[in-house]
Amino acid sequence: MSVYSEFYQRSVEQPEAFWAEQARLIDWQQPFTQVCDYSGPPFANWFVGGRTNLCHNAVDRHVLTRPDQNALIFVSTETGQERCYSFRELQAEVQRMAACLLALGVQQGDRVLIYMPMIPEAAFAMLACARIGAIHSVVFGGFASGSLASRIDDAQPTVIVSADAGSRAGKVIAYKPLLDEAIALATHKPGQVLLVDRGLATMAMTAGRDVAYGPLREQHLHTEVPCVWLPSEHISYTLYTSGTTGKPKGVQRDTGGYAVALAASMKHIYCGQAGETYFSTSDIGWVVGHSYIVYGPLIAGMATIMYEGLPTRPDAGIWWSLVEKYKVTVMFSAPTAVRVLKKQDPAQLSRYDLSSLRALFLAGEPLDEPTARWIAEALGKPIIDNYWQTESGWPILSIANGVERKPSKFGSPGVPMYGYKVKLLNESTGDELTGANQKGVVVIEGPLPPGCMQTVWRDDARFVNTYWSSVPGKLVYSTFDWGVRDEDGYYFILGRTDDVINVAGHRLGTREIEESIAAHPNVAEVAVVGIADALKGQVAIAFAVLKDTAALTDTALALKLEGEIMKRVDESLGAVARPARVRFVSVLPKTRSGKLLRRAIQAVCEQRDPGDLTTMEDPAALQQIRDLL
Ligand code: AMP
């Protein structure tokens, strides 16, 4: 048996001993008495009885051993700012932010919603919450007021932390008006809004509610706020993600299990060492940003780069210049970003000394072979795919080179990571597929390992019904991804089984986009599907049935309507969710029972066989879509 196979077997056969060992990678104020309580499946409680703190493990413990080493490196090619914070400085800034939150009345267990661009204060706010036991809920800055409002209502934050503006490609994007609109739309009203003024856009301040961060921080320059020792199962954060229904789910995560999972992944998967620099190009609004911009690298005692800007501005060499300058050893990005770079001159990459870099990890969407080959050759470094989800918090499939060096296979994110009992099930029978090269649904047998979601925020029933009920009679967690496994045990991910689409690595629910479009006064009905795109992986295409059908024959009117609908999606959900095209039809393909045949529409758009259409109400509906393409 290979070294990794033994390691993996131990993790699933003797999980208590395995995870107790991994738990030594972090500091505990009080040791745990039980490794895993799985007495109420599918709910798993890790490190029961233990007390720890994420901020202590990410910041304070390193202040004792490496106070002057870089901890957070902020680079904005949008504003031209570049600033390094040592662990000592990071600790001071986090305490100032924590003091401000306390001054605004935030208590342990309260939610703090963070709607921020990629600026250091966003990381300070997350760590400050972890420090005082408040639950952060970061909402991606690219989301607009409608998305933000639904998250405000679900999280019910005491305080919202935001900023005047973000910037993209040199264009200032004001956040404050979007936030004001979202608060107006939301039923829940936060007590206070803490605002960082970057000097990019003017902010209309609401008296009695809005508080400027700068002056309040000045009052707390020297306030000491100790880390609160929290029970392992204390909720550290919720992060919203899209599913089949329009209502986003608050993925809820614990404290102790998450800290252990991240520390272990930094060692076994990413192979990052204390004192080195980690560069993840994601955004704090996504799970990668939580796990591998903020918490993971810092827990490992690494410096982490927080980057605001595009990969191609001022030129395609920018990321690689940072690798050279800060001697980055581990880098993490998404296939879409690489496909963007691929269109640029490869000389931009080779201009820089990349000798510090050991590997580039890519995740968030399928990594196609041409993209993987191109970047592997351009960098001359190993490219390591890793497959996971907001729900898991850390890789489900990858290669654990820190345990044993194993080759990657093009097109495969790798093998099950320790702790995950990954299986493939037949979609209709629920039987396990044990042979090679059989397509099935990727599921995980409980208990989910440490670091994975505890439940859906305030909705245990939704957690059970959504994730654990897809196979009647079997309590397994569904990833909602199709997969196959080859004879060597490597998995290949073949897309989602549900209505989630993945645009440029961003996970979007087609139902949310449909709801936003359906609010247009002239839209009677709409179907949104994700179709393959060479650059973004997938793009959303909307097919709408109109109340006033004039646009079906009037091209100018159709164009105008398409623009209106796109604008509506921009305004309610954000430009990330905007469909690439909106097309008008007289009828949508449905089953006789009225279910939208999204997969058949998708297949037709991708020029594939739409499959069995015997249950279809009106076969001409698909023909109409074919004719439009
Ligand atoms: P998110 O929760 O936003 O991270 O999205 C998770 C989903 O993205 C997964 O369920 C997959 O559909 C897809 N995904 C993430 N990483 C990969 C990968 N390495 N290969 C293929 N699909 C991936």
Side-chain angles (χ1 to χ4, degrees):
M1 210 192 265
S2 75
V3 177
Y4 181 72
S5 301
E6 254 174 58
F7 187 80
Y8 176 81
Q9 283 309 331
R10 192 158 167 264
S11 78
V12 293
E13 283 165 13
Q14 300 162 44
E16 303 258 328
F18 179 89
W19 286 109
E21 211 170 276
Q22 303 305 319
R24 290 199 207 115
L25 293 167
I26 68 155
D27 284 359
W28 296 88
Q29 182 254 353
Q30 185 177 296
F32 46 89
T33 49
Q34 189 184 2
V35 176
C36 182
D37 174 6
Y38 198 51
S39 55
F43 302 93
N45 260 336
W46 286 95
F47 309 114
V48 184
R51 279 183 178 267
T52 185
N53 183 289
L54 271 170
C55 185
H56 166 85
N57 280 288
V59 182
D60 293 54
R61 65 169 175 161
H62 304 302
V63 174
L64 300 174
T65 52
R66 46 187 78 248
D68 301 315
Q69 181 205 298
N70 275 346
L72 185 72
I73 300 165
F74 169 59
V75 179
S76 172
T77 49
E78 296 290 333
T79 59
Q81 286 165 294
E82 191 157 335
R83 160 122 210 233
C84 298
Y85 297 84
S86 66
F87 274 103
R88 198 202 306 269
E89 287 166 330
L90 179 61
Q91 185 192 41
E93 289 298 347
V94 171
Q95 292 197 80
R96 288 167 192 149
M97 181 65 84
C100 292
L101 294 177
L102 290 173
L104 297 181
V106 174
Q107 298 186 355
Q108 190 174 319
D110 282 357
R111 274 78 55 216
V112 173
L113 188 141
I114 300 173
Y115 180 61
M116 303 271 266
M118 286 288 285
I119 55 174
E121 287 81 358
F124 303 159
M126 291 166 75
L127 291 161
C129 288
R131 193 171 189 87
I132 61 175
I135 301 167
H136 62 69
S137 191
V138 182
V139 177
F140 175 54
F143 282 135
S145 44
S147 304
L148 185 52
S150 63
R151 287 155 173 82
I152 293 173
D153 275 337
D154 197 70
Q156 306 202 333
T158 313
V159 165
I160 296 181
V161 186
S162 191
D164 56 339
S167 175
R168 194 172 163 80
K171 193 171 152 246
V172 170
I173 299 156
Y175 278 37
K176 184 64 171 38
L178 295 175
L179 176 61
D180 286 341
E181 201 187 319
I183 296 174
L185 284 172
T187 314
H188 172 85
K189 308 292 176 197
Q192 317 251 236
V193 177
L194 187 60
L195 291 149
V196 176
D197 188 355
R198 309 177 70 190
L200 293 181
T202 49
M203 285 190 279
M205 301 292 269
T206 301
R209 187 197 73 186
D210 295 352
V211 180
Y213 177 61
L216 192 58
R217 174 184 172 275
E218 287 295 313
Q219 291 174 28
H220 292 287
L221 283 182
H222 307 290
T223 311
E224 282 182 21
V225 181
C227 291
V228 176
W229 297 109
L230 301 161
S232 179
E233 68 275 14
H234 178 81
I235 306 164
S236 60
Y237 69 78
T238 64
L239 178 59
Y240 288 88
T241 191
S242 306
T244 295
T245 63
K247 189 172 174 268
K249 289 184 289 269
V251 168
Q252 176 184 314
R253 205 147 353 256
D254 73 350
T255 296
Y258 188 48
V260 171
L262 292 182
S265 70
M266 292 304 298
K267 180 176 175 198
H268 306 308
I269 304 172
Y270 299 101
C271 310
Q273 306 283 335
E276 297 177 350
T277 306
Y278 195 99
F279 181 15
S280 164
T281 68
S282 183
D283 186 287
I284 46 136
W286 307 111
V287 69
V288 180
H290 284 63
S291 293
Y292 299 113
I293 294 177
V294 180
Y295 291 114
L298 293 175
I299 286 174
M302 298 178 81
T304 183
I305 296 182
M306 196 167 178
Y307 176 78
E308 182 188 48
L310 300 180
T312 48
R313 215 170 157 266
D315 60 53
I318 175 65
W319 283 357
W320 318 102
S321 74
L322 295 176
V323 170
E324 176 183 293
K325 181 168 180 185
Y326 293 108
K327 302 200 166 40
V328 171
T329 56
V330 187
M331 194 163 165
F332 191 142
S333 193
T336 294
V338 176
R339 288 192 292 264
V340 168
L341 289 174
K342 207 166 133 192
K343 295 187 156 182
Q344 313 282 325
D345 180 1
Q348 303 272 26
L349 275 71
S350 50
R351 273 209 336 255
Y352 297 96
D353 174 8
L354 306 179
S355 55
S356 60
L357 189 66
R358 285 196 294 268
L360 170 67
F361 289 83
L362 295 174
E365 54 179 317
L367 173 62
D368 55 285
E369 185 167 340
T371 301
R373 279 193 194 280
W374 178 83
I375 190 72
E377 272 165 34
L379 295 178
K381 305 283 175 184
I383 305 303
I384 303 169
D385 191 359
N386 52 134
Y387 158 86
W388 47 296
Q389 315 179 299
T390 307
E391 289 86 344
S392 70
W394 60 284
I396 299 169
L397 301 171
S398 189
I399 304 288
N401 278 327
V403 180
E404 182 192 15
R405 289 211 159 272
K406 245 179 156 242
S408 289
K409 282 194 189 188
F410 281 116
S412 163
V415 299
M417 287 296 91
Y418 49 91
Y420 287 102
K421 289 181 263 182
V422 183
K423 306 259 146 78
L424 288 172
L425 299 189
N426 176 301
E427 185 195 23
S428 14
T429 62
D431 292 339
E432 187 178 343
L433 303 172
T434 47
N437 304 318
Q438 290 173 290
K439 179 178 168 181
V441 181
V442 181
V443 302
I444 305 166
E445 243 174 44
L448 295 177
C452 292
M453 75 188 293
Q454 291 176 297
T455 184
V456 173
W457 166 249
R458 282 192 174 152
D459 204 343
D460 287 347
R462 196 168 176 203
F463 176 60
V464 176
N465 295 335
T466 304
Y467 295 104
W468 298 87
S469 310
S470 54
V471 186
K474 258 193 192 165
L475 198 62
V476 288
Y477 168 90
S478 177
T479 62
F480 296 100
D481 281 302
W482 296 110
V484 293
R485 183 182 46 231
D486 71 8
E487 37 299 303
D488 300 324
Y490 283 66
Y491 281 71
F492 294 77
I493 299 295
L494 307 172
R496 297 280 302 194
T497 65
D498 61 4
D499 296 327
V500 164
I501 61 172
N502 196 318
V503 179
H506 300 330
R507 172 166 162 186
L508 301 168
T510 49
R511 299 287 172 93
E512 274 172 275
I513 308 176
E514 285 170 5
E515 277 173 22
S516 164
I517 295 176
H520 186 284
N522 194 9
V523 171
E525 229 187 336
V526 61
V528 171
V529 297
I531 69 160
D533 180 81
L535 186 66
K536 297 183 173 179
Q538 277 187 314
V539 290
I541 307 281
F543 293 94
V545 177
L546 297 172
K547 291 178 188 158
D548 171 357
T549 55
L552 287 181
T553 45
D554 183 338
T555 323
L557 191 59
L559 266 177
K560 182 172 164 277
L561 263 180
E562 179 178 40
E564 278 176 28
I565 288 172
M566 287 179 171
K567 189 157 169 267
R568 178 168 286 268
V569 176
D570 279 9
E571 285 169 0
S572 72
L573 302 180
V576 279
R578 182 200 305 154
R581 284 185 287 284
V582 184
R583 293 288 177 264
F584 304 106
V585 289
S586 60
V587 58
L588 286 169
K590 287 188 187 161
T591 60
R592 274 181 218 120
S593 56
K595 220 175 141 247
L596 258 178
L597 287 163
R598 289 190 189 75
R599 273 189 230 167
I601 303 177
Q602 183 192 38
V604 165
C605 293
E606 291 180 345
Q607 290 167 349
R608 289 185 286 110
D609 175 9
D612 180 13
L613 298 176
T614 44
T615 60
M616 200 166 145
E617 171 73 28
D618 179 4
L622 267 188
Q623 191 53 43
Q624 229 187 92
I625 288 174
R626 238 180 237 118
D627 295 343
L628 276 172
L629 298 170

